[in-house]
């Protein structure tokens, strides 16, 4: 019974099917008891002590996350993403030093997910406080139909509300993966890559 319960719990994880769940459960019980208990402890601790940053809504164990509390970040740039893991992905590139705002997903009218559900009210409140410092808002929602629609919605909102502040809105370029070959890339991605091209200053 306990083993079945463990298998059932493991199946909750994304990408873990019935076979993988069985293998993981038997592995933990047979060979990985100590590490398994460590895993259980970190899981419990992380879940209990992690919440959302009060400013940007990414995951944080403090009231404000490390990025929002840092005095080394550029307060003139705000990058808007769909989920906390997107913040991590952008941070790992070390190419962005501004601040973030994490939406609660993307607009999806057919599923009843509108502006309020994704945190547009919170974004508007944040902009009301910080728009005097802001020079650029980078829309880094996913390059999906919903992500594009969400980006457009936010750009319209900003352009309407902050006409006089001259805040530049930009969209991340979606292009060709490093090491990719043009012939294997789908035409949507290739079209985006051509449209999102940048001027080369020097070779
Ligand atoms: Zn934060």
């Amino acid at each position: 019974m306990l083993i079945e319960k463990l298998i059932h719990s493991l199946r909750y994880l994304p990408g873990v099917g019935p076979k993988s769940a069985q293998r993981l459960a038997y592995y933990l019980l047979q060979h990985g008891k100590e590490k398994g208990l460590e895993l259980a402890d970190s899981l419990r601790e992380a879940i209990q002590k992690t919440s959302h940053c009060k400013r940007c809504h990414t995951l944080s164990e403090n009231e404000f996350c490390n990025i929002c509390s840092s005095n080394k970040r550029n307060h003139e740039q705000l990058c808007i993403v769909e989920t906390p893991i997107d913040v991590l992905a952008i941070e790992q590139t070390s190419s962005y030093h501004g601040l973030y705002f994490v939406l609660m997903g993307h607009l999806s009218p057919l599923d009843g997910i509108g502006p309020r559900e994704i945190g547009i009210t919170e974004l508007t409140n944040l902009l009301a406080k910080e728009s005097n410092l802001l020079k650029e808002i980078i829309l880094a929602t996913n390059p999906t139909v919903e992500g594009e629609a969400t980006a457009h919605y936010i750009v319209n909102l900003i352009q309407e509300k902050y006409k006089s502040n001259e805040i530049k809105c930009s969209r991340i370029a979606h292009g060709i993966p490093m090491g990719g070959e043009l012939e294997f890339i789908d035409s949507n991605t290739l079209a985006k890559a051509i449209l999102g091209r940048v001027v080369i200053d020097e070779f």
Side-chain angles (χ1 to χ4, degrees):
M1 234 7 219
L2 285 173
I3 302 179
E4 277 82 38
K5 195 178 163 200
L6 176 59
I7 294 171
H8 188 75
S9 302
L10 287 165
R11 284 207 58 191
Y12 174 73
L13 297 169
V16 177
K19 286 273 174 203
S20 306
Q22 282 174 14
R23 211 176 53 238
L24 287 169
Y26 274 78
Y27 176 82
L28 287 169
L29 296 172
Q30 259 186 298
H31 311 287
K33 282 194 170 174
E34 205 177 311
K35 288 282 169 201
L37 287 174
E38 256 179 59
L39 171 70
D41 285 344
S42 3
L43 196 58
R44 179 174 296 277
E45 205 181 1
I47 290 173
Q48 285 174 341
K49 296 188 180 165
T50 305
S51 177
H52 291 271
C53 166
K54 283 205 167 154
R55 186 197 153 278
C56 73
H57 300 128
T58 195
L59 291 174
S60 171
E61 51 190 281
N62 300 310
E63 200 178 353
F64 294 97
C65 73
N66 291 343
I67 298 171
C68 290
S69 342
S70 166
N71 54 12
K72 294 198 178 98
R73 308 293 300 207
N74 180 356
H75 286 243
E76 294 179 347
Q77 287 179 314
L78 180 73
C79 179
I80 300 178
V81 294
E82 289 185 27
T83 65
I85 203 162
D86 299 331
V87 173
L88 182 68
I90 296 176
E91 284 299 291
Q92 282 169 347
T93 67
S94 305
S95 59
Y96 176 71
H97 307 285
L99 296 171
Y100 292 92
F101 181 82
V102 182
L103 297 166
M104 280 162 260
H106 50 238
L107 292 173
S108 185
L110 292 180
D111 304 308
I113 299 169
R116 195 189 312 187
E117 285 72 27
I118 64 165
I120 295 295
T121 314
E122 287 82 354
L123 174 64
T124 317
N125 293 342
L126 180 86
L127 290 175
K129 276 189 219 148
E130 300 185 6
S131 62
N132 53 337
L133 282 174
L134 268 182
K135 295 216 167 116
E136 183 182 10
I137 294 178
I138 302 164
L139 282 307
T141 50
N142 290 326
T144 55
V145 175
E146 293 89 351
E148 294 289 350
T150 308
H152 276 123
Y153 178 87
I154 295 171
V155 169
N156 285 339
L157 187 98
I158 292 162
Q159 285 174 344
E160 223 170 79
K161 277 198 168 223
Y162 301 99
K163 256 181 236 156
S164 53
N165 294 47
E166 289 180 4
I167 300 172
K168 181 172 87 178
C169 287
S170 56
R171 180 87 175 104
I172 48 166
H174 307 296
I176 297 161
M178 293 298 280
E181 287 173 54
L182 293 198
E183 65 169 310
F184 298 117
I185 289 166
D186 70 278
S187 51
N188 267 341
T189 306
L190 191 51
K192 274 274 185 191
I194 291 173
L195 290 171
R197 69 193 181 278
V198 291
V199 175
I200 297 167
D201 295 326
E202 54 186 64
F203 274 108

